[in-house]
Amino acid sequence: MRHFEIDIVVGKKDSMDNVLMVLTDRLSRYTMIFRIKDKSSDSVNKKFEELKPSMGEKVFYQTFKSLTSDNGLEFSRLQEVHSNTYYATPYTPSERGSNENVIRIIRRFIHKSTAISSYTDDYIQFVEDVVNDYPRKLLGGYSAESVYLYNEVLSLTS
């Protein structure tokens, strides 16, 4: 099962700056971080429209069986790119707790006061790798990546 929570990480509060779209698998806590142009629904949808052909539509829908977001305007048109979209209850971040905890880890490396555009793609990839390689008590000391890959292998053999 691949049910993802989604949120946006903003650096410096500047409408001209890039933002990070963070997707977290609810089961394994595996995280994907994408830099997008801005915090608009067009930018969010455009990233998903780019992912579909690069992954293949079948793999895209197998990977992202559902998306759960907050009620921000940036996710208001998410149903246009994915039919299984769910919205958390307003002012209830606990309904997307996996994603909120991952963002807390990301904030150790990407600070609120620094523009996202000042970080290189390699650095953002480094942050994603650290988040996915981090051993977690919740996962029995295993990393999110190892649990995600283990579940991927299980789904291929069944």
Side-chain angles (χ1 to χ4, degrees), residues 7 10 31 34 36-37 44 57 80 91 99-100 132-133:
D7 205 358
V10 178
T31 300
F34 301 101
I36 58 176
K37 182 181 154 199
V44 170
E57 195 158 332
E80 294 174 12
Y91 308 107
N99 197 254
E100 294 294 331
N132 288 323
D133 291 340

Side-chain angles (χ1 to χ4, degrees), residues 10-147:
V10 178
K12 196 174 195 177
K13 298 223 182 214
D14 178 4
S15 62
M16 301 303 289
D17 190 30
N18 299 148
V19 297
L20 299 176
M21 184 172 75
V22 180
L23 292 149
T24 305
D25 178 40
R26 295 183 85 148
L27 177 65
S28 68
R29 306 313 195 256
Y30 184 78
T31 300
M32 299 176 196
I33 303 173
F34 301 101
R35 181 194 310 256
I36 58 176
K37 182 181 154 199
D38 56 24
K39 190 179 172 178
S40 69
S41 60
D42 288 336
S43 294
V44 170
N45 285 7
K46 183 179 177 191
K47 179 48 80 175
F48 279 110
E49 290 298 339
E50 291 170 1
L51 285 173
K52 273 184 193 178
S54 69
M55 296 173 78
E57 195 158 332
K58 182 178 178 185
V59 173
F60 175 83
Y61 284 107
Q62 286 174 339
T63 302
F64 303 110
K65 290 189 183 222
S66 72
L67 298 172
T68 302
S69 71
D70 60 23
N71 289 283
L73 287 175
E74 63 273 18
F75 304 121
S76 62
R77 294 181 28 237
L78 204 51
Q79 312 90 330
E80 294 174 12
V81 292
H82 200 294
S83 57
N84 289 337
T85 300
Y86 301 94
Y87 295 95
T89 307
Y91 308 107
T92 314
S94 60
E95 290 182 5
R96 296 176 309 96
S98 303
N99 197 254
E100 294 294 331
N101 288 329
V102 164
I103 289 173
R104 192 173 307 128
I105 297 170
I106 291 170
R107 286 291 185 198
R108 295 179 190 172
F109 302 93
I110 297 176
H111 306 286
K112 288 183 177 182
S113 59
T114 308
I116 299 295
S117 57
S118 68
Y119 295 104
T120 65
D121 289 339
D122 288 340
Y123 186 76
I124 292 171
Q125 183 61 54
F126 164 76
V127 172
E128 181 179 311
D129 293 343
V130 167
V131 169
N132 288 323
D133 291 340
Y134 191 79
R136 299 175 195 216
K137 185 176 180 180
L138 174 77
L139 301 174
Y142 292 103
S143 69
E145 184 171 31
S146 62
V147 172

